[in-house]
Amino acid sequence: MMTGRRVIPLRWPAAVAVGVVGIVGLVAFTWPFFVTADVARDHGNDAPWLFAVLLGLLAVVCLAEVTAGRLDAKTIAVLGVAAAAGGGLRLLSAGTAGLEPMFFVVIVAGRVLGPGVGFVSGALAVTTGALLTGGVGPWLPFQMICAGGIGLGAGLLPVRAGSRVERWALAAYALVTGLVFGLFMNLWFWPFLGTGAPTGMGFVPGAPLQDNLAHYGLFYLATSLGWDLPRGVLNAVLVLVAGPALLRVFRRGARRAAFGVPVVFAPAPGRDAAPHREPAEPHDEPPVVPLHDAEHPR
Amino acid sequence: MARLELRPRLQHPAAWWLWGLGLATAASRTTNPVLLLLVVGVCVVVVAERHDPATVNPLPAFLVIGAVIVVFRIVMTALLGNGFVGQTVVVTLPSVPLPDWAASVRIGGTVTLESLLYAAYDALRLAAVLACLGAANALASPRRLLRYLPATLYDVGTAVVVGLTFAPQLLTDARDVRAARTLRGRDGRGVREMARLTVPVLETAFERSLGLAASMESRGYGRSVRSTTTSRRAATGLALAGLVGVLAGLYGLLDSSAGGVLGLPVLVLGALLAGSSLVVGASRDPRSGHRRDRWTWTATTTVLAGAVPAAVLVIASAGGWPGVVPSQQAQLPEVPLLAVLAVLVSATPAWFTPRPREVAP
Amino acid sequence: MITFEHVSVQYADAPAPSLHDVTLEIPEGELVLVVGPTGSGKSTLLRTINGLVPHFSGGTLTGRVAVDGLDTAEHRPRDLATVVGLVEQNPSSTFVTDVVEDEVAYGMETMGLDSTTIRRRVEETLDLFGLTPLRARSLRTLSGGQQQRVAIAALFAAGPRVLVLDEPTSALDPVAAEEVLASLHRIVHDLGVTVVLAEHRLERVVHHADRVVLVEEGRVSELLDPAEAMLRSHIYPPVVGLSRLVGWSPTPLSIRDARRKASSLREALGASAPRPVADLRVIGPADAVDLTGVRVSRGGRVVLDGVDLTVARGSVTTLMGRNGAGKSTLLGAVAAQHRLSGGRVRVGAAGIDPHGRSARERVRTVGLVPQQPELLLYAESVAAECAAADDDFGAPSGTARALLERISGGVDPSVHPRDLSEGQRLELALAVILAGSPEVLLLDEPTRGLDYGAKKRLGEVLTGLAAQGTTVLLATHDVELAAEVADRVVILADGEIVTDGPAREVLASSPAFAPQVTKVLLPQTWLTVAEVAGALARIA
């Protein structure tokens, strides 16, 4: 594949940023299992809101770090398509209680265009969906991180592009992520329920880890699995059935966008200057204004 | 007679969002059903008065979701109980025996009024917060906020704008492709057929996106965002330092043995550092922009109207005023009059803010 | 203003260069028309002007292109945005925002102009292009002509001195095209903007051009006088065809000039009555399509209101009318794409109700080629598409492939359908639909973006199909195609049939739908150059 696994290269600061945000996200979801009873009692009510604000900020910082100066018009347009496809599917599935076929598009985008694009298009697909349905709320940062992570992971899957294994690996990935997504998203408000949770399924501040885990497991089985399992299965089936065709469409789209195709200016034959080759990702110092990609390495 | 061709003058979107967040904060501090219903009522009234008729109104969907949450929680509580044990038995359901490993769970059994009320109040609080967010969404479409993103996020914001423009076209294309499918004798049902549809729809979207990219490029996209190597490096440094600060602060906050006092300040500092990286990373020419929304006195007053109930209820819940967290008795809970007045204040923007004008379709 | 010095372009994965050694100097304030068949390198030529080729597309550009003294090798397209504006073929895909006024302001915002300048220029531009009444409208609700005007205005607002337009009127109906051309005419004549324009529909634009450049297989002529260019060009509008036939000099480009020279031709033809070139078809009983009181509502609006129509077996009928008159909806109602809210439809000799049948049964009787033929295409190569079509329609394998061979002059079967030219794409879609061997063939606006060559082939294919007994019903704006193939013309307006009659009668009597040859030779009712040529041959 000549197309850019490097459409948005993940440089080390961006990778660190994604890593740290991932850790904060993990803490935001799993803190009830680790903290002492006092902390949990004091903050059980505020923590979800605190984390919503914090993750909202961090997700945005992370997006800025990943994309800083690396988006040209073509990348933006391709991201726009991925976001629109994800958001549009969200719009379609608004009535079907969380049966989100959106992940399927994010997985394919991440797979074809690399982890950087996977992360950004996941986050943007969720945002677009929320803006389209008017569903902006504190859940948005959590979903952005989750969907971004799913796209990133799809880009990092160690399978060769175009191989037979790819299809099955992606289907399995879709199934697992569908389930894990629900598992995490419920954790966001589970401690918030406190004593409001069903008997034996609630968060008990300060209780041993395995107790709370068991409670949460039961809670998940009782309330959420019924939605998450069909979602995972739907996404996996979609990947199996439409995945190969869609992968080809995305690859073709990336090829036609000519990411990474060299741009060469040569003097007309008969003159003596050497050809002037430009890096594919632009460009030279323009005379008008300093540009944000002006210092790109040659 | 004025022609119906003028742009509607709308209030600054940030004002409505801050108002909504204020009201949501107020709602999150109480479980008093009277106050919560009042909050929902305020949302409905303000949206009815000041929603821009040219856009879709998402509030009803939020209200429906809120109602579903309340019903769902009540049903779940009746079936599975909750951590609240009461005296007043409403009904006794047949109990389902469970194996040992699930001994802590019960299904069926006695249903008490207190536990039902507890669940209902708690769910109502969530529904009220949802109503506030729905009202903010309805009063100022969040896509109008995209114009105020810092320059570092200009590109990402544009990608979202492109996505928002493409998504409805994608749905139209999907309908057309599905219709075209019947021209080849297929009825377009089943997963395999659905999968088939995605190919031409996405092909078209990619073709369109390339046209768009070329047009953006030739229209000067990206010329006015200024960033230098120095500013970008500074932003990266700030972002990384901020992220580390946030991590450290969180650790301090959650693990009380590691000095919880320092946790919050470090966390806030980290967040500020990370936030400042957005500002430092790049800048746009501040003069540029066509018809920005103006911040007027009504915008300030709207924000204040949202801040009043937030402040009153935060104080009330911290001070433990009677009625803010009502008891689960089968009687109307006590209603703190000051809180009611504060919530009513937040309804005033329904009248003093500018009314969105009708626009020709 | 624009200088090409020995310019050649080769794309990264292309076997041959797309442009060969172009040397050209376009002076300021001229309207230059670029003429050439599909795939000749017209678009590449236009896109080198602001540097999209090769900055955006990738590839190698040899030589030098400079606009207003700025070399494209040193200036990226975005840096040239204040000098050159490039309007793409399909305006709707180039919109970034969703409201007219925002779209006009967008370019200037991205360039970082200050807000008072932006405001002033937005107002001026809206007035100049007559868009003030539409300023608050959503772009998606505009008609094609309005969208094209917004696209031009959005570029013009930034103040470029050169406008480059790639087929701005190909997809428009005659009225909308006139609107767009009037706007262009105004900015060239009043404001001295240099305009470079490529267009298939020469009959619409050639008389507006100051200079013409001919492009063929990547080779580009020097700047020519339009009349002279039309003598040399392989593609030309019917009025030039008539002039070439009779030998008028200088070549007239407008109807008015041609009528001044046509009096002797009219006299010569006076004695002989117009007669179609092709032999009269055997036209069967009027039972191929039978509509009674058909009503269709879409989105709460009545689009077709009580339409009665019968079509004879083996005939070619053309539906004409403004955009939004209900032509496409009528075809959709016959092919059961739109639900009827009243009336009945019967199709084929057996009088089948298409709305009461499954898709699989329906396609044996009625086939529709939609306005965007690519919507019908799913496969990844032409060969796979043909095989899928055989499978869809239960036809013996190879049917669609053989049909395609017959219709088109050879399409590489390994090409992706989306990489075909618009003409080839239409031919492929037609072959796919014909694989079901429908009794009635419907075509919705088939000539969009087709050059003269592809259009001529389409005309021959339709005539051939009708001769074999297929009933053809097509909706089109293209009066020249209608003049070429139609037996009968039906004109729709606002969901009702306003005129219905033999093609010659209807076309000759309508000022809006008369073909160029008819307009030149009125009151005689000749429709095509070929008819006149046949008559002259008989007289001689």
Side-chain angles (χ1 to χ4, degrees):
Chain A
M1 233 25 251
M2 63 181 271
T3 59
R5 299 213 103 221
R6 288 164 291 120
V7 174
I8 303 180
L10 271 183
R11 310 239 168 105
W12 74 263
V16 171
V18 172
V20 172
V21 172
I23 295 174
V24 175
L26 204 63
V27 173
F29 288 123
T30 56
W31 65 274
F33 297 125
F34 306 116
V35 298
T36 58
D38 306 339
V39 177
R41 248 191 303 279
D42 291 351
H43 299 295
N45 234 340
D46 317 326
W49 304 108
L50 170 78
F51 278 117
V53 173
L54 200 60
L55 273 185
L57 175 73
L58 294 194
V60 165
V61 170
C62 196
L63 268 182
E65 269 309 305
V66 173
T67 59
R70 256 157 255 157
L71 295 191
D72 58 357
K74 275 189 273 191
T75 320
I76 287 176
V78 168
L79 282 175
V81 171
L89 282 174
R90 195 118 199 257
L91 205 60
L92 277 185
S93 63
T96 55
L99 283 183
E100 308 249 19
M102 180 187 80
F103 293 132
F104 153 63
V105 175
V106 173
I107 288 173
V108 171
R111 186 70 210 141
V112 174
L113 298 165
V117 172
F119 179 81
V120 179
S121 62
L124 293 191
V126 171
T127 315
T128 308
L131 290 179
L132 279 174
T133 50
V136 174
W139 48 84
L140 187 58
F142 292 87
Q143 294 182 339
M144 277 171 79
I145 301 271
C146 279
I150 289 175
L152 184 105
L156 292 174
L157 276 187
V159 222
R160 206 164 51 78
S163 58
R164 274 186 87 75
V165 196
E166 190 182 29
R167 181 179 181 180
W168 291 97
L170 284 186
Y173 182 73
L175 180 65
V176 172
T177 48
L179 291 173
V180 171
F181 179 74
L183 199 66
F184 274 104
M185 287 311 292
N186 287 328
L187 260 180
W188 171 55
F189 63 86
W190 177 62
F192 198 40
L193 288 174
T195 42
T199 316
M201 303 182 193
F203 170 54
V204 183
L209 177 62
Q210 59 267 38
D211 281 15
N212 267 333
L213 273 180
H215 286 182
Y216 181 65
L218 288 167
F219 177 76
Y220 182 69
L221 278 178
T223 58
S224 183
L225 193 67
W227 279 305
D228 291 347
L229 196 62
R231 168 173 53 210
V233 170
L234 175 71
N235 277 302
V237 169
L238 278 175
V239 168
L240 275 186
V241 178
L246 212 59
L247 281 171
R248 282 194 294 271
V249 173
F250 265 78
R251 287 192 173 126
R252 210 178 101 77
R255 196 179 68 236
R256 293 198 23 150
F259 289 117
V261 173
V263 174
V264 182
F265 284 95
R271 311 212 184 160
D272 42 10
H276 159 50
R277 178 173 274 264
E278 293 221 354
E281 201 162 306
H283 289 289
D284 45 350
E285 192 75 53
V288 194
V289 279
L291 282 126
H292 63 284
D293 49 6
E295 83 295 2
H296 253 283
R298 296 286 176 108
Chain B
M1 184 64 205
R3 301 264 307 272
L4 295 177
E5 64 188 37
L6 297 164
R7 298 292 295 277
R9 298 241 181 260
L10 299 170
Q11 177 156 278
H12 201 290
W16 282 123
W17 276 87
L18 290 172
W19 171 86
L21 291 178
L23 203 55
T25 312
S28 71
R29 295 288 112 186
T30 176
T31 50
N32 187 316
V34 178
L35 283 177
L36 291 172
L37 286 174
L38 203 58
V39 167
V40 175
V42 165
C43 291
V44 171
V45 168
V46 177
V47 169
E49 284 294 318
R50 287 297 179 265
H51 167 248
D52 179 2
T55 58
V56 194
N57 183 358
L59 181 64
F62 275 80
L63 293 179
V64 168
I65 293 173
V68 169
I69 288 176
V70 173
V71 172
F72 181 74
R73 285 284 293 281
I74 291 177
V75 171
M76 288 297 277
T77 305
L79 287 178
L80 302 170
N82 59 16
F84 205 90
V85 187
Q87 266 82 55
T88 326
V89 176
V90 182
V91 67
T92 305
L93 297 174
S95 185
V96 179
L98 285 173
D100 279 349
W101 58 268
S104 63
V105 179
R106 58 156 252 232
I107 298 179
T110 53
V111 180
T112 64
L113 182 65
E114 287 84 356
S115 70
L116 283 184
L117 279 180
Y118 183 88
Y121 291 175
D122 207 46
L124 193 59
R125 175 170 63 176
L126 192 54
V129 171
L130 280 175
C132 297
L133 293 168
N137 275 303
L139 291 164
S141 161
R143 65 168 82 185
R144 286 174 57 209
L145 285 171
L146 286 175
R147 296 183 126 211
Y148 301 94
L149 285 177
T152 340
L153 288 172
Y154 181 65
D155 294 330
V156 179
T158 309
V160 173
V161 172
V162 171
L164 287 173
T165 318
F166 274 1
Q169 290 176 351
L170 228 56
L171 295 188
T172 320
D173 285 349
R175 247 195 308 278
D176 290 351
V177 168
R178 205 181 149 175
R181 200 72 192 129
T182 65
L183 297 174
R184 288 177 69 159
R186 304 279 182 181
D187 278 329
R189 296 203 188 90
V191 178
R192 195 170 285 275
E193 274 292 294
M194 290 288 281
R196 274 253 169 99
L197 295 186
T198 58
V199 173
V201 171
L202 278 176
E203 291 270 14
T204 310
F206 270 117
E207 275 173 15
R208 214 178 270 144
S209 81
L210 269 191
L212 178 72
S215 135
M216 281 163 64
E217 180 72 38
S218 41
R219 285 166 73 182
Y221 177 79
R223 266 174 53 155
S224 73
V225 176
R226 292 148 191 240
S227 84
T228 56
T229 321
T230 334
S231 73
R232 197 142 8 108
R233 293 224 173 104
T236 303
L238 280 175
L240 292 184
L243 288 170
V244 171
V246 166
L247 263 192
L250 268 185
Y251 179 72
L253 206 61
L254 294 178
D255 187 0
S256 43
S257 63
V261 200
L262 274 179
L264 197 59
V266 174
L267 181 69
V268 170
L269 185 70
L272 284 179
L273 280 180
S276 65
S277 76
L278 294 177
V279 186
V280 173
S283 62
R284 287 198 77 202
D285 196 324
R287 296 169 306 157
S288 189
H290 180 61
R291 292 207 162 184
R292 296 273 164 139
D293 307 271
R294 262 171 270 165
W295 189 272
T296 54
W297 67 270
T298 57
T300 314
T301 325
T302 304
V303 176
L304 288 178
V308 168
V312 169
L313 275 157
V314 165
I315 295 170
S317 76
W321 294 7
V324 172
V325 180
S327 59
Q328 284 71 36
Q329 305 296 315
Q331 64 195 30
L332 263 187
E334 208 177 329
V335 181
L337 190 62
L338 196 59
V340 170
L341 288 177
V343 173
L344 285 180
V345 165
S346 66
T348 51
W351 293 282
F352 67 73
T353 54
R355 179 187 288 277
R357 261 182 270 164
E358 289 276 340
V359 198
Chain C
M1 194 67 196
I2 308 168
T3 322
F4 291 86
E5 285 172 24
H6 302 286
V7 174
S8 300
V9 171
Q10 172 130 26
Y11 290 116
D13 47 359
S18 302
L19 283 182
H20 275 292
D21 196 21
V22 179
T23 301
L24 203 61
E25 169 90 42
I26 297 177
E28 185 167 358
E30 300 252 46
L31 196 159
V32 176
L33 177 65
V34 180
V35 176
T38 305
S40 59
K42 282 195 314 270
S43 294
T44 305
L45 181 73
L46 296 187
R47 286 164 151 249
T48 53
I49 296 179
N50 78 337
L52 277 180
V53 174
H55 280 292
F56 186 82
S57 62
T60 306
L61 185 140
T62 337
R64 180 171 179 270
V65 182
V67 191
D68 203 14
L70 303 172
D71 191 335
T72 58
E74 285 148 26
H75 300 265
R76 295 166 306 170
R78 61 178 95 159
D79 306 322
L80 292 171
T82 41
V83 186
V84 189
L86 181 100
V87 184
E88 305 269 336
Q89 189 172 2
N90 180 2
S92 68
S93 75
T94 65
F95 292 144
V96 183
T97 63
D98 47 6
V99 177
V100 172
E101 190 181 338
D102 293 349
E103 185 66 23
V104 173
Y106 175 79
M108 292 183 283
E109 284 182 309
T110 68
M111 285 175 202
L113 270 63
D114 71 287
S115 58
T116 42
T117 311
I118 294 182
R119 187 65 199 273
R120 195 191 72 224
R121 298 211 57 131
V122 166
E123 298 300 329
E124 287 168 0
T125 310
L126 289 176
D127 283 344
L128 188 65
F129 287 86
L131 294 169
T132 317
L134 306 173
R135 66 187 304 164
R137 284 268 294 273
S138 158
L139 290 165
R140 300 211 298 142
T141 63
L142 300 182
S143 72
Q146 290 167 334
Q147 285 188 342
Q148 190 62 269
R149 262 154 63 213
V150 174
I152 298 174
L155 285 165
F156 183 75
R161 322 235 328 263
V162 178
L163 270 186
V164 180
L165 300 104
D166 195 357
E167 302 193 14
T169 73
S170 287
L172 302 181
D173 64 289
V175 182
E178 233 7 272
E179 282 173 20
V180 170
L181 288 169
S183 303
L184 283 182
H185 195 78
R186 198 157 156 202
I187 58 175
V188 172
H189 283 253
D190 296 357
L191 304 166
V193 174
T194 311
V195 172
V196 183
L197 173 79
E199 182 58 68
H200 282 312
R201 299 230 165 156
L202 293 177
E203 68 271 20
R204 290 175 176 175
V205 293
V206 74
H207 51 284
H208 288 290
D210 297 318
R211 292 308 179 101
V212 171
V213 170
L214 301 178
V215 185
E216 191 121 11
E217 289 176 359
R219 301 192 183 275
V220 177
S221 75
E222 69 273 33
L223 280 187
L224 299 168
D225 176 71
E228 187 197 336
M230 283 300 106
L231 270 181
R232 279 172 53 176
S233 171
H234 290 295
I235 48 180
Y236 44 83
V239 66
V240 172
L242 196 62
S243 159
R244 283 185 168 196
L245 177 72
V246 192
W248 288 329
S249 174
T251 309
L253 299 176
S254 67
I255 303 293
R256 186 159 163 252
D257 293 346
R259 274 195 73 83
R260 286 182 186 149
K261 296 182 195 282
S263 52
S264 60
L265 176 61
R266 270 197 296 268
E267 261 165 47
L269 290 169
S272 55
R275 190 181 342 145
V277 186
D279 293 331
L280 275 177
R281 297 174 194 125
V282 187
I283 290 181
D287 60 2
V289 177
D290 182 3
L291 307 183
T292 330
V294 166
R295 268 175 72 93
V296 178
S297 308
R298 291 171 74 185
R301 204 171 66 88
V302 176
V303 187
L304 284 183
D305 197 2
V307 171
D308 297 311
L309 181 70
T310 52
V311 177
R313 235 186 278 174
S315 67
V316 179
T317 306
T318 310
L319 292 172
M320 304 187 86
R322 278 187 294 273
N323 267 351
K327 303 188 296 290
S328 300
T329 310
L330 182 64
L331 295 187
V334 176
Q337 296 267 296
H338 304 305
R339 199 175 310 191
L340 303 183
S341 54
R344 50 167 241 164
V345 177
R346 293 290 178 272
V347 188
I352 285 169
D353 174 10
H355 293 264
R357 298 297 172 103
S358 75
R360 186 165 274 282
E361 291 173 89
R362 197 192 308 140
V363 292
R364 309 229 150 266
T365 317
V366 52
L368 168 67
V369 179
Q371 209 169 85
Q372 297 164 275
E374 60 270 21
L375 291 181
L376 274 179
L377 309 176
Y378 312 84
E380 279 156 38
S381 71
V382 170
E385 195 67 68
C386 289
D390 295 338
D391 180 43
D392 283 345
F393 294 110
S397 89
T399 311
R401 190 66 184 277
L403 281 163
L404 182 63
E405 290 293 321
R406 239 180 49 217
I407 294 172
S408 77
V411 175
D412 179 358
S414 65
V415 175
H416 195 288
R418 296 258 166 177
D419 290 336
L420 297 173
S421 73
E422 299 196 48
Q424 290 172 323
R425 231 185 270 177
L426 176 77
E427 283 158 0
L428 177 57
L430 191 57
V432 164
I433 291 298
L434 287 178
S437 52
E439 285 176 57
V440 180
L441 176 67
L442 313 173
L443 295 105
D444 194 356
E445 212 61 71
T447 59
R448 252 177 204 229
L450 262 53
D451 59 14
Y452 285 105
K455 218 146 69 176
K456 187 151 177 285
R457 261 206 315 280
L458 175 68
E460 286 161 7
V461 168
L462 295 184
T463 316
L465 282 171
Q468 290 163 19
T470 307
T471 311
V472 178
L473 185 57
L474 76 155
T476 183
H477 292 306
D478 196 313
V479 288
E480 307 297 342
L481 179 72
E484 206 80 49
V485 300
D487 301 303
R488 177 175 166 204
V489 171
V490 175
I491 297 182
L492 285 171
D494 206 13
E496 291 168 342
I497 292 178
V498 290
T499 316
D500 179 1
R504 187 176 307 280
E505 220 169 84
V506 175
L507 291 175
S509 64
S510 151
F513 297 114
Q516 283 199 313
V517 173
T518 318
K519 284 180 179 164
V520 171
L521 295 176
L522 271 175
Q524 296 169 4
T525 55
W526 305 89
L527 292 179
T528 63
V529 178
E531 276 181 10
V532 177
L536 288 178
R538 283 199 302 278
I539 295 165

